[in-house]
Amino acid sequence: MTALERLEVAAVTLQRGARALLGGLSFDAVAGEAVAITGANGAGKTSLLRAIAGFTRPVSGQIRFLGADGELDADATRREECHLVGHADGLAVGRTVREELVFAVRWTGGDATAAIDGARRLGLERLLDLPVRHLSAGQRRRVVLVRLIAAPRRLWLLDEPLTPLDADSRAHFGEIMSAHLAGGGVIVAAVHDPLPISARTVAISG
Amino acid sequence: MIATLANPLKFMAFSRWAAPALGVVAAILIGWGLALGLAAPPDYQQGETVRIMFVHVPAAWVSMLAYACLGAASFVSLVFRHALADAAARAVAPLGAMFTAMALITGSLWGRPMWGAWWVWGDARLVSVLVLFLLFVGYIALRASIEDEVKAARAAEILALIGLINLPVIKFSVNWWNTLHQGESIMRAGGSTLAPVYLLPLLLVGAGYSAAFGALWLARTRGEVWRRRGASLTLQAALS
Amino acid sequence: MTGAALDMGRYAASVWPAYAASAAGFAWMIIDTLVRARRARRAVETLESDRRARDPKT
Amino acid sequence: MTPHSTLFRRELSLAWARGGGPLLTVGFFASVCLMVPLSIGAAPGRLSAVAGGITWVGLALASLLSLDRLFERDFESGALDLVNLGPLPLETICAVKCAAQWLASCAPLALAAPVAAIGLGAKVETAGLIALTAAIGGVAFAFVGGAGAALALVSRRGGVLIALIVLPLLTPPVIFGGAAIANFAAGLPWTTGLILLTAYALAAVALTPFAMAGACRNALS
């Protein structure tokens, strides 16, 4: 699988119910670059990330993934190269952090040891055997972020990733993001407050 | 996709005259068929109640036709994402449910004098029409319970296709089930053993019912197109 | 000939109700369809005339 | 550890919810079967004639019971998004979920069914066939029920809506299974019913995942 070099969003318009969103938005994101999507609530930031992840089909325009030698298959790229971190954390409250974390990491290409190491790096090792329901929102978000570092995938789609995190977790996550970019990764994040790393801003109107 | 309904000029122009025309044809056919049917002599075995067949069999036949149309419209809408097909699918469901209800009521009224029971489990066709009625109710309930029109359409289309694939299996299983319990009930006269004097009226009324279904479906789809046009206009007015 | 046909005898109890039920079914379908169509059409006409009033150029 | 088994294990542990799962469905099934003699009287002749049928009705209802958790839980929590960005296509994911649903609730029911049927007066020698038909019928209930659960996902109404959509579609397996048991008890040829039941269950396994995937994509968009 040739690696993902460039994400191309070309004149994309989405539809939610009867409303058209993004009005033909175009932007690129190349390896090693972060793009911050800003805009009012309901402007379509989340819908854009879900469209890139392949969940919603644009009414018009195209979303393309390009490798070193031309266009890659969108479905395969999404299945192997794409992380989506949404508002919902995707964790089953009934199971323990360890079980959910190992499942999520193994499912997205990492392995159990990488999951546990990642948890240790983000200071979660004490919580591993707690059921997820006992975790705070910030701790749950850190569990999700472990998936990003434990299962290496080039494209990170982050929907307001910093909101539930406290100050030093934000700084720590900033370092993780810059390491990802340095390694040739791509980040597209929908944000309200600016990211702790340098990023090109793309504003979308309602 | 739903809101920006490709303006089906062709359909609206065609249905503007086709719906009333079909309606008139239906009235003539049904009237003529019933007149012949009522004038026919009573059946030696069933007496006068055989005349209920003229309103029962066509209703059962059209309810099957209606579900086939629902399945076809859903398939076109699902595969070709054609908004008009979805309007047609949404429009046909209540008609199908009503025709099945008419078939059930007339069917049990027909069985009443013969079997002395208000519901004849021995009649395989009646039982499959009952299942068909539940399929229509399920479709309407699913569609009614989802707010977002686009998602409601997609979910309802998938259900209609599952139902369409299941329909022949259901009919087969009910008929097979009926042969199992054959010992307990004799097969009622109808279908092949029909006296010729009843066949012509039955065919006329059947054709009339189908034409009426066509007219109602076209008219109801027009109503659906107007409703969606109105919905998108109100939305645009609110948003602009 | 037709006089005899209308004298249903003791079976009348189920033949006419069946016809009545069918007629009622048709009546509901026709009325509901026409009312719905007319109401929707009138709504569109008023909305379009409002829009024309708001910005005559479109 | 193929992705299939990773997902299957997770689905199973969620469905069994720390061992509570099968108790819940089997308990419900037992109470449905209990209602019948209490309501229609316990005259031996009357009950044993319908014992097989009641067991089947109880099976259908009990297997519908835990269906609305099949997709709803993952959809609400966002796990459906995660699962969709993994190595398996959505069709396979839905099939694995229904297989876990079968093992978690339909298989225990298949073991409980003969006990309930005999309790209701069915002949003891029908126990084997009742368990077999219940197991095969359970496959149909799990997969067609799964399709209903996926379709009702968008409507947030689950439960009753799923039952309303799914039960008419389950007429064939109920007929085939019930007939196989009744014929076997009466000494008549029963294999046709079993063969038709198996055919329906296999068709359900082959076809419903596509409908489920379509319904999930519809909900996710």
Side-chain angles (χ1 to χ4, degrees), chain A residues 158-169:
Chain A
L158 312 173
D159 198 349
E160 288 165 19
L162 305 176
T163 344
L165 295 178
D166 51 38
D168 54 7
S169 302

Side-chain angles (χ1 to χ4, degrees), chain A residues 34-184:
Chain A
V35 172
I37 309 286
T38 58
N41 269 343
K45 300 197 293 293
T46 303
S47 304
L48 171 62
L49 293 181
R50 292 182 73 84
I52 296 172
F55 294 154
T56 49
R57 181 205 296 250
V59 170
S60 67
Q62 271 237 319
I63 294 176
R64 276 188 290 269
F65 301 91
L66 298 144
D69 41 22
E71 189 166 352
L72 303 171
D73 169 63
D75 255 348
T77 314
R78 285 167 176 143
R79 266 191 228 298
E80 287 148 16
E81 290 293 344
C82 183
H83 269 308
L84 173 66
V85 174
H87 298 300
D89 50 38
L91 302 171
V93 288
R95 288 186 0 132
T96 67
V97 174
R98 184 189 303 273
E99 286 168 335
E100 278 299 280
L101 192 56
V102 166
F103 167 74
V105 169
R106 188 173 285 154
W107 186 255
T108 46
D111 58 30
T113 46
I116 307 304
D117 295 345
R120 196 165 295 117
R121 260 182 70 187
L122 286 181
L124 292 167
E125 69 278 21
R126 276 184 295 89
L127 307 170
L128 279 175
D129 293 311
L130 272 178
V132 169
R133 76 167 57 82
H134 299 307
L135 267 63
S136 72
Q139 288 166 330
R140 285 195 199 194
R141 179 49 58 95
R142 292 212 315 266
V143 171
V144 173
L145 298 184
V146 168
R147 190 192 317 161
L148 295 181
I149 53 177
R153 289 186 164 203
R154 294 184 77 91
L155 175 59
W156 288 3
L157 300 172
L158 312 173
D159 198 349
E160 288 165 19
L162 305 176
T163 344
L165 295 178
D166 51 38
D168 54 7
S169 302
R170 289 185 184 207
H172 191 161
F173 185 51
E175 292 151 20
I176 291 173
M177 284 199 280
S178 5
H180 178 67
L181 294 179

Side-chain angles (χ1 to χ4, degrees), chain D residues 50-147:
Chain D
V50 291
I54 301 162
T55 324
W56 262 82
V57 171
L59 269 177
L61 296 178
S63 54
L64 288 184
L65 188 71
S66 50
L67 269 177
D68 53 11
R69 300 309 304 150
L70 188 60
F71 288 100
E72 179 95 22
R73 180 196 304 119
D74 286 349
F75 179 66
E76 297 293 340
S77 75
L80 208 53
D81 297 349
L82 165 67
V83 160
N84 213 347
L85 290 175
L88 294 181
L90 194 47
E91 285 77 6
T92 318
I93 292 167
C94 293
V96 167
K97 281 172 106 56
C98 289
Q101 162 78 5
W102 177 82
L103 188 58
S105 65
C106 297
L109 284 175
L111 298 179
V115 176
I118 291 166
L120 290 170
K123 295 199 183 78
V124 180
E125 55 274 14
T126 59
L129 181 65
I130 289 176
L132 179 64
T133 48
I136 301 172
V139 171
F141 294 151
F143 277 80
V144 175

Side-chain angles (χ1 to χ4, degrees), chain B residues 180-203:
Chain B
L180 278 187
H181 299 285
Q182 204 45 62
E184 296 139 19
S185 67
I186 51 163
M187 190 58 191
R188 191 159 34 78
S192 53
T193 62
L194 193 59
V197 71
Y198 301 125
L199 196 55
L200 179 60
L202 185 60
L203 291 178

Side-chain angles (χ1 to χ4, degrees), chain D:
Chain D
M1 265 289 273
T2 64
H4 304 73
S5 58
T6 322
L7 180 64
F8 187 83
R9 222 194 302 282
R10 175 176 187 268
E11 288 300 320
L12 210 55
S13 85
L14 282 173
W16 256 330
R18 293 288 168 275
L23 239 54
L24 194 73
T25 24
V26 173
F28 172 80
F29 173 64
S31 46
V32 167
C33 295
L34 172 65
M35 289 298 127
V36 174
L38 297 183
S39 53
I40 64 170
R46 184 186 305 170
L47 258 187
S48 57
V50 291
I54 301 162
T55 324
W56 262 82
V57 171
L59 269 177
L61 296 178
S63 54
L64 288 184
L65 188 71
S66 50
L67 269 177
D68 53 11
R69 300 309 304 150
L70 188 60
F71 288 100
E72 179 95 22
R73 180 196 304 119
D74 286 349
F75 179 66
E76 297 293 340
S77 75
L80 208 53
D81 297 349
L82 165 67
V83 160
N84 213 347
L85 290 175
L88 294 181
L90 194 47
E91 285 77 6
T92 318
I93 292 167
C94 293
V96 167
K97 281 172 106 56
C98 289
Q101 162 78 5
W102 177 82
L103 188 58
S105 65
C106 297
L109 284 175
L111 298 179
V115 176
I118 291 166
L120 290 170
K123 295 199 183 78
V124 180
E125 55 274 14
T126 59
L129 181 65
I130 289 176
L132 179 64
T133 48
I136 301 172
V139 171
F141 294 151
F143 277 80
V144 175
L151 286 170
L153 195 52
V154 191
S155 74
R156 296 271 184 291
R157 276 256 274 286
V160 177
L161 184 67
I162 298 176
L164 174 60
I165 295 174
V166 165
L167 283 175
L169 299 172
L170 292 182
T171 342
V174 169
I175 288 176
F176 298 142
I181 298 169
N183 283 4
F184 181 87
L188 297 168
W190 50 275
T191 46
T192 353
L194 189 61
I195 293 163
L196 291 172
L197 177 66
T198 319
Y200 186 92
L202 292 178
V205 170
L207 295 177
T208 50
F210 300 100
M212 283 188 269
C216 286
R217 286 194 190 97
N218 178 38
L220 286 169
S221 68

